[in-house]
């Protein structure tokens, strides 16, 4: 089975599970949203997960009226098998849950939750699992946002890296209807592996259309040695 077919089957399974969960929670009204996308490169915290190749992505989220939410998201990847031919994983699947709201009428919002990154596949003996659980907490105010992530497991297979952290600061400004300027800067700290710490940033623009389609383009870079900057173009459809 190809990695794309495996990915699509996993996404369908996750979507079905969330739909069943939402049906079971009849005491809590809510809504379901999702998206599918094709991107020229899957960047995570400034680093390519696909070896600078295109990726297919999709996700679904159920949100209760109370502000609680749960969802799943997935993407095709290549970084694990590229680093070790003995690894068969070609898909990343994330499961997340959290709670978001606002501090009264202050205009300041908050978001707390957990995200589990799962990389199904076969691994050689002794390979440190890349599966990772992160807790996060963030705040937003007008066009600005900041979120901190804390790993409760080793970070994406790096031995001894439990307790690593990441801080993202973003600005998303709709300067004219349908056009949004996207900017962000972040810092990844890797516990007990300080030589792996690095910073990253992006600057881009998104064009949204009334049909749910959007096109985004961004320029991305990091301060890691040996990694060049990247221009990423993506097409997505929200539903």
């Amino acid at each position: 089975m190809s990695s794309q077919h495996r990915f699509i089957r996993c996404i369908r399974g996750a979507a079905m599970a969330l739909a069943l969960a939402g049906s079971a929670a009849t005491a809590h009204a809510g809504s379901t949203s999702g998206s599918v996308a094709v991107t020229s490169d899957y960047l995570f915290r400034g680093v390519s997960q696909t070896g600078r190749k295109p990726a297919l992505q999709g996700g679904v989220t159920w949100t209760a009226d109370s502000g609680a939410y749960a969802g799943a998201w997935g993407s095709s990847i290549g970084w694990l098998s590229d680093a070790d031919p003995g690894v068969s994983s070609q898909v990343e699947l994330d499961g997340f849950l959290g709670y978001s709201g606002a501090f009264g009428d202050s205009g300041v919002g908050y978001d707390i939750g957990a995200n589990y990154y799962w990389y199904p596949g076969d691994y050689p003996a002794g390979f440190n699992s890349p599966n990772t659980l992160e807790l996060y907490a963030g705040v937003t105010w007008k066009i600005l946002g900041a979120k901190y992530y804390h790993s409760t497991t080793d970070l994406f297979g790096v031995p001894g890296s439990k307790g690593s952290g990441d801080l993202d600061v973003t600005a998303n400004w709709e300067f004219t209807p349908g056009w949004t300027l996207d900017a962000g800067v972040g810092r990844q700290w890797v516990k007990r592996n300080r030589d792996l710490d690095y910073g990253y940033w992006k600057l881009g623009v998104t064009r949204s259309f009334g049909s749910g389609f959007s096109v985004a383009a961004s320029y991305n870079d990091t301060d890691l040695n040996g990694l060049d900057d990247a221009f990423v173009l993506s097409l997505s459809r929200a539903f």
Side-chain angles (χ1 to χ4, degrees):
M1 181 186 297
S2 70
S3 60
Q4 276 196 348
H5 289 159
R6 186 186 306 162
F7 167 72
I8 292 170
R9 285 186 59 185
C10 290
I11 287 295
R12 286 175 176 170
M16 183 177 294
L18 286 171
L20 291 174
S23 299
T26 53
H28 303 280
S31 60
T32 301
S33 61
S35 66
V36 292
V38 177
T39 181
S40 63
D41 192 357
Y42 168 26
L43 294 185
F44 178 76
R45 296 173 185 167
V47 177
S48 177
Q49 308 295 290
T50 53
R52 300 299 173 90
K53 297 176 182 177
L56 172 66
Q57 303 175 334
V60 60
T61 302
W62 177 78
T63 304
D65 291 344
S66 64
Y69 60 87
W73 182 88
S75 177
S76 53
I77 61 167
W79 67 275
L80 283 164
S81 57
D82 289 345
D84 189 331
V87 175
S88 68
S89 181
Q90 297 290 324
V91 175
E92 172 190 332
L93 292 174
D94 301 348
F96 56 88
L97 54 86
Y99 186 87
S100 63
F103 295 105
D105 298 324
S106 65
V108 178
Y110 63 85
D111 182 20
I112 57 174
N115 195 105
Y116 186 72
Y117 308 82
W118 177 43
Y119 301 92
D122 297 322
Y123 295 87
F127 194 96
N128 197 36
S129 174
N131 299 337
T132 299
L133 175 63
E134 285 188 325
L135 306 180
Y136 57 83
V139 293
T140 57
W141 180 71
K142 296 186 178 179
I143 68 171
L144 302 176
K147 185 171 287 187
Y148 178 76
Y149 300 83
H150 180 84
S151 68
T152 63
T153 63
D154 281 350
L155 185 72
F156 305 113
V158 178
S161 59
K162 179 180 178 180
S164 297
D166 177 86
L167 178 63
D168 285 338
V169 179
T170 59
N172 298 284
W173 173 43
E174 187 175 16
F175 55 91
T176 193
W179 290 88
T180 302
L181 182 68
D182 310 309
V185 61
R187 182 74 179 175
Q188 174 74 70
W189 295 275
V190 184
K191 194 71 173 287
R192 300 183 184 87
N193 294 268
R194 302 310 296 269
D195 57 321
L196 298 180
D197 294 356
Y198 70 98
Y200 55 93
W201 62 274
K202 68 171 284 186
L203 182 63
V205 64
T206 299
R207 174 69 168 103
S208 301
F209 303 93
S211 59
F213 283 97
S214 63
V215 178
S218 65
Y219 178 81
N220 306 259
D221 203 0
T222 76
D223 61 10
L224 285 169
N225 293 328
L227 288 181
D228 297 326
D229 51 359
F231 178 80
V232 178
L233 184 64
S234 63
L235 171 67
S236 62
R237 171 71 160 86
F239 57 86

